[in-house]
């Protein structure tokens, strides 16, 4: 944000920001630090705006923790079938050009009248080409929309390729707070979905929380304990698994079972090499999934929620995972 420091001689604009340690910093427009007098004036004149900035930064820091711990709350309900809503064509129809008109005194000048007429003809020809391009693009858009409608209303109920395509689109639409990669396969004529998930690493978890004291113009930044970080990580991994299972059941009504296995990259105690290690694997049927109250996901402990299904997971009370052998489709 910017603040203005005024003295009897001049008005000075300052940039106000919050540093990583929670302190408010003031710099001029060139990036040079403000002096004590300028900072004192800015704090007095823009106190409310500075407090607003601190509250915004505080919410941003704490929001990262909450978003990871409560990620499962974004899970769609399996009770609602996929619906298609046709979008409007986003490009407006090209408007006709406004014709040039010769001024009254130019009517007596044949050359001028001719140039005006040529310019108008050129503008109309360009508009015709633009209109044809617009009509062609709009027609193709309508074809694409109809194909999408057929995919959602028909294809996902009878065609495996359509199911693959629609589930891929649903998973690509998920906004992951940390890098997460998903591979999947549909088996048994689309009734069994197998998901293989490259989960986030614990190093990707936030390590701090913030609070804003009643007085003063700085944030109080505190480091999270290793146990808190580990439990947050465990909650997030379970939240990722929970959401992916839910996305699959919601997107594909024909799917009756989901097997999801998640792995992370960890250094092997035997070889010292970094390798993929599976840390959880869960098998859920649609009937089991329907027992969850999706209207009150905020009341769910996602770690306990997944534990009620058939699961392979070795995890300590503080959220430390050990490697497991994931479910195989034929053995589920």
């Amino acid at each position: 944000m910017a603040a203005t420091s005024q003295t009897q001689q001049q008005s000075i604009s300052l940039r106000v920001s919050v540093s990583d340690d929670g302190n408010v910093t003031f710099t001029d427009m060139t990036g040079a630090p403000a002096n004590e007098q300028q900072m004192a004036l800015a704090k007095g004149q823009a106190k409310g705006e500075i407090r607003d900035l601190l509250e915004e930064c505080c919410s941003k820091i704490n929001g990262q923790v909450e978003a990871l711990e409560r990620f499962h709350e974004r899970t769609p309900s399996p009770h609602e079938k996929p619906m298609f809503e046709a979008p409007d064509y986003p490009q407006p129809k090209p408007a006709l050009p406004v014709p040039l008109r010769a001024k009254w005194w130019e009517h007596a000048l044949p050359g001028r009248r001719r140039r005006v007429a040529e310019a108008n003809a050129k503008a109309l020809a360009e508009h015709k080409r633009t209109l044809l391009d617009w009509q062609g693009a709009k027609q193709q858009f309508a074809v694409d929309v109809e194909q999408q409608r057929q995919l959602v209303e028909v294809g996902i109920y009878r065609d495996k390729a359509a199911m693959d395509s629609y589930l891929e689109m649903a998973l690509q639409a998920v906004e992951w707070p940390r890098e997460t990669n998903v591979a999947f396969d549909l088996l048994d004529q689309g009734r069994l979905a197998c998901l293989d998930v490259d989960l986030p690493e614990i190093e990707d978890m936030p390590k701090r929380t913030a609070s804003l004291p009643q007085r003063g113009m700085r944030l109080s930044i505190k480091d999270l304990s290793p146990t808190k970080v580990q439990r947050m990580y465990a909650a997030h991994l379970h939240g990722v698994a929970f959401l992916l299972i839910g996305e699959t059941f919601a997107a594909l009504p024909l799917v009756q079972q989901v097997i999801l296995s998640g792995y992370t990259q960890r250094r092997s105690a035997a070889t010292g090499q970094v390798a993929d290690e599976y840390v959880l694997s869960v098998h859920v049927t649609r009937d089991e999934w329907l027992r969850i109250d999706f209207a009150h996901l905020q009341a769910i402990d996602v770690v306990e929620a997944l534990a009620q299904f058939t699961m392979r997971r070795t995890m300590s009370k503080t959220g430390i995972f050990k490697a497991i052998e994931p479910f195989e489709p034929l053995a589920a």
Side-chain angles (χ1 to χ4, degrees):
M1 64 167 285
T4 301
S5 172
Q6 296 182 343
T7 66
Q8 293 181 349
Q9 293 77 25
Q10 60 183 335
S11 175
I12 301 173
S13 294
L14 300 177
R15 290 193 178 95
V16 184
S17 59
V18 180
S19 62
D20 289 341
D21 60 4
N23 288 313
V24 177
T25 61
F26 299 85
T27 57
D28 63 23
M29 295 299 105
T30 67
N35 60 41
E36 293 293 333
Q37 181 184 14
Q38 293 168 343
M39 288 191 291
L41 288 170
K43 288 179 180 179
Q45 295 171 6
K47 182 177 180 180
E49 291 85 349
I50 295 172
R51 290 285 296 186
D52 290 343
L53 176 63
L54 286 166
E55 289 179 359
E56 180 183 341
C57 293
C58 185
S59 297
K60 184 177 180 180
I61 292 171
N62 295 334
Q64 294 183 41
V65 176
E66 294 171 4
L68 295 175
E69 291 181 328
R70 312 301 301 178
F71 187 64
H72 69 281
E73 293 179 11
R74 306 182 188 183
T75 305
S77 170
H79 298 287
E80 300 178 4
K81 291 185 177 181
M83 299 292 291
F84 178 76
E85 295 183 6
D88 295 326
Y89 186 56
Q91 300 299 325
K93 184 177 181 179
L96 279 168
V98 178
L100 299 175
R101 296 186 182 277
K103 297 179 175 60
W104 64 268
W105 52 267
E106 293 177 318
H107 288 286
L109 303 173
R112 176 57 182 167
R113 293 201 309 272
R114 185 177 64 253
R115 287 193 292 273
V116 169
E118 289 173 349
N120 286 334
K122 182 178 179 181
L124 283 173
E126 179 62 29
H127 173 263
K128 184 177 181 180
R129 288 192 293 270
T130 302
L131 183 61
L132 287 173
D133 291 342
W134 179 84
Q135 290 171 336
K138 186 178 181 181
Q139 290 173 355
Q140 183 58 52
F141 178 82
V143 170
D144 295 341
V145 167
E146 182 57 29
Q147 290 178 345
Q148 187 68 14
R149 183 196 302 278
Q150 289 294 318
L151 174 71
V152 176
E153 296 181 353
V154 180
I156 62 173
Y157 294 94
R158 61 177 62 172
D159 180 64
K160 182 180 177 299
M163 295 173 68
D164 284 333
S165 178
Y166 190 64
L167 181 57
E168 182 176 1
M169 287 190 296
L171 298 184
Q172 287 178 345
V174 176
E175 295 183 3
W176 301 105
R178 295 294 185 271
E179 184 177 2
T180 305
N181 297 297
V182 186
F184 68 87
D185 195 9
L186 300 178
L187 306 175
D188 191 18
Q189 299 180 332
R191 289 188 288 267
L192 170 62
C194 298
L195 284 74
D196 208 43
V197 188
D198 185 355
L199 296 163
E201 309 301 323
I202 193 169
E203 290 79 13
D204 299 329
M205 298 295 103
K207 305 295 193 298
R208 306 181 306 161
T209 58
S211 61
L212 181 58
Q214 290 292 329
R215 296 182 179 181
M217 289 192 180
R218 68 181 307 276
L219 291 179
S220 176
I221 305 292
K222 292 184 178 180
D223 291 332
L224 293 171
S225 69
T227 298
K228 173 61 177 175
V229 174
Q230 191 69 52
R231 285 176 173 163
M232 181 206 324
Y233 179 60
H236 185 58
L237 294 200
H238 286 79
V240 168
F242 190 94
L243 181 135
L244 284 170
I245 294 168
E247 288 282 357
T248 304
F249 279 131
L252 302 178
L254 289 187
V255 169
Q256 298 302 308
Q257 299 180 73
V258 173
I259 296 174
L260 180 145
S261 300
Y263 62 91
T264 64
Q265 288 74 42
R266 304 200 293 183
R267 197 168 295 279
S268 170
T271 66
Q273 300 294 324
V274 174
D276 294 340
E277 286 190 350
Y278 284 90
V279 294
L280 62 84
S281 188
V282 58
H283 175 208
V284 189
T285 68
R286 182 175 288 273
D287 287 342
E288 292 171 331
W289 193 248
L290 290 174
R291 292 203 294 264
I292 294 173
D293 184 354
F294 286 87
H296 297 91
L297 290 179
Q298 71 278 6
I300 288 177
D301 181 330
V302 70
V303 176
E304 294 300 319
L306 279 187
Q308 68 182 303
F309 307 119
T310 305
M311 173 178 260
R312 291 179 181 173
R313 178 194 68 193
T314 302
M315 184 184 74
S316 71
K317 292 181 179 180
T318 57
I320 297 175
F321 292 92
K322 291 185 178 180
I324 54 98
E325 287 294 325
F327 287 117
E328 295 292 338
L330 296 179

